[in-house]
Amino acid sequence: MIKLGEMMNIYLIGVGMGNPELLTGQARAAIDRSRLLIGARRLLEEFAEGMVETAQANTAEQALSVLRTYAGPGPVAVLASGDVGFYSIAKKLSQMLDSAKITFFPGISSLQYFCARLKTSWDDVKVVSLHGRVGSLPDEVRCHRRVFVLTGGENSVQNLCAELTEVGLGSVYVSVGERLSYADERVVQGTAQELSGQTFSSLCVMLVENRRAMPSSVTHGLPDDMFTRGDVPMTKAEVRAVSIAKLGLKPEWIVWDIGAGTGSVALEIARVLRGGMVYAVEKNEKAAALIEENKRRLSVGRLEIVSGSAPEVLAGLPAPDAVFVGGSSGALNEVIQIALGKNRCARVVVNAITLETVHSALACFEQFKLEEPEIIQVTVAKARTIGHSHMMMGQNPVYILSAGGHTDDG
């Protein structure tokens, strides 16, 4: 926490969308009392009046630098777009400063303003910020009927609509609010596919509505018939559920799926991640095409298909937190070595149907000194209807080997 001058009072003021008419009376009075205004250029242009001193700052760090060097009389106002409690510079800046000297003045957020403009409520809306942040809009839209989105940078309206279209969500209804509260304000509505071909200002928000939204399952084991399979091997639902459980996933993890096949494991993992990414590595071109098709069918966003052989294609991937190996074509040792070279704490899970692969996996675990190695065998039998009777038909046993990874406290 940074302590500034004893006499300096700091106002953190939510100024709404940018139009001065949206200011609350308290916020207007606080600005009028201030001797220095700090904020983004577009806000200073609207609210800096008379002879008041101004300083441009786009981040909390820049605002703090200005405050440290300011030697004039107070109070000082830091202008934040929207509301100070809604994805605002105020959150980080207040953590850096002595809270006793700070006064918050709320403003009208873009969420409030835009929903009022659309004549709709917002108490059931899922809020997502992709303004300077990493995230997956398709995952949120697939699970929630209404999603409000703060856009920015590469996550422009047109790019986000194109992403929705690519994963089979092109029919969802999108309302775009462009340059809200300004004289050239514009509201555009249509399907994601329709809007993906249009151009919008960088100052936009979106409300995405998906009437077919279905919350993600909290467990693994999607029915096998949900995946297009063709002639490509696929990890069956029951084995898939146990294998993923052994990975001990966390929402923000980076996961490699080596020998992804139809992508059933990778897709199930991607469905539950909220901040990470799955890289499905597959050398078979037909299998890679199936993964792409299944990705569209399930509207999954946090999955990148890597076409090529492991270990050759692994060097360019980000460090994994977990590695699932469904098939390595004899390169298991090299795959694990590369993964651990990028992250010594990576969790490793290997599926095997032959004793030779079991032996190889255990040898790798020992060679790389992976902690707490475990091996289990899963044998599944499913009922098959024969006339008026049911007969249990056994599937081939699968060995699931796991080792290494993060400790409970780390």
Side-chain angles (χ1 to χ4, degrees), residues 14 112 228 236 312 361 370 379:
Q112 294 170 287
T228 300
K236 300 297 194 301
E312 288 80 7
L370 296 182
T379 304

Side-chain angles (χ1 to χ4, degrees), residues 21 46 75 103 134 165 172 215 230 320 397 399:
E21 294 182 2
E46 295 290 342
T103 304
V134 176
T165 303
V172 299
Y399 299 91

Side-chain angles (χ1 to χ4, degrees), residues 80-337:
S81 62
D83 177 61
V84 288
F86 188 71
Y87 293 99
S88 166
I89 187 178
K91 179 178 180 179
K92 189 171 185 179
L93 185 59
S94 64
Q95 293 171 346
M96 299 174 174
L97 299 171
D98 184 350
S99 60
K101 297 181 177 296
I102 300 174
T103 304
F104 275 60
F105 292 88
I108 298 176
S109 71
S110 56
L111 170 60
Q112 294 170 287
Y113 181 94
F114 191 43
C115 286
R117 186 75 170 77
L118 296 175
K119 301 179 182 179
T120 186
S121 64
W122 50 272
D123 51 10
D124 61 342
V125 168
K126 170 67 175 179
V127 177
V128 176
S129 176
L130 296 176
H131 182 73
R133 299 166 184 259
V134 176
S136 174
L137 183 56
D139 287 345
E140 303 294 352
V141 171
R142 176 170 50 82
C143 299
H144 300 91
R145 289 176 63 88
R146 305 174 79 215
V147 180
F148 176 82
V149 190
L150 294 167
T151 70
E154 294 183 357
N155 293 316
S156 64
V157 170
Q158 50 267 42
N159 288 347
L160 291 173
C161 286
E163 183 181 4
L164 290 171
T165 303
E166 287 172 5
V167 299
L169 291 169
S171 63
V172 299
Y173 193 71
V174 180
S175 299
V176 179
E178 182 180 63
R179 293 186 57 79
L180 295 178
S181 84
Y182 291 105
D184 57 348
E185 172 185 293
R186 186 169 69 122
V187 176
V188 182
Q189 296 176 297
T191 66
Q193 185 172 7
E194 290 169 347
L195 299 187
S196 64
Q198 299 188 29
T199 301
F200 296 89
S201 161
S202 60
L203 198 61
C204 284
V205 298
M206 301 166 61
L207 183 66
V208 184
E209 298 176 87
N210 179 15
R211 294 182 180 179
R212 298 181 179 179
M214 292 289 291
S216 287
S217 173
V218 295
T219 60
H220 307 292
L222 289 175
D224 291 336
D225 59 10
M226 289 192 69
F227 300 92
T228 300
R229 179 177 178 181
D231 297 325
V232 177
M234 182 176 73
T235 304
K236 300 297 194 301
E238 295 77 15
V239 175
R240 189 164 66 241
V242 176
S243 299
I244 295 175
K246 291 298 179 181
L247 286 169
L249 298 171
K250 294 183 179 179
E252 71 281 2
W253 273 13
I254 300 297
V255 182
W256 294 358
D257 179 1
I258 309 299
T262 60
S264 63
V265 172
L267 287 160
E268 286 235 46
I269 293 173
R271 281 166 56 87
V272 300
L273 294 182
R274 284 294 176 264
M277 180 66 71
V278 183
Y279 294 87
V281 179
E282 178 54 58
K283 65 179 181 180
N284 185 309
E285 292 183 2
K286 291 183 178 180
L290 280 176
I291 299 173
E292 186 66 51
E293 180 179 345
N294 285 322
K295 178 181 176 181
R296 285 195 298 270
R297 289 187 63 190
L298 295 174
S299 302
V300 173
R302 295 187 179 276
L303 173 65
E304 181 174 324
I305 302 167
V306 182
S307 297
S309 299
E312 288 80 7
V313 298
L314 303 181
L317 299 185
D321 297 291
V323 179
F324 173 76
V325 183
S328 62
S329 300
L332 181 60
N333 187 286
E334 292 86 347
V335 167
I336 295 178
Q337 183 177 24

Side-chain angles (χ1 to χ4, degrees), residues 379-391:
T379 304
V380 178
K382 288 190 174 183
R384 179 181 176 186
T385 302
I386 300 179
H388 297 290
S389 303
H390 295 82
M391 179 179 293

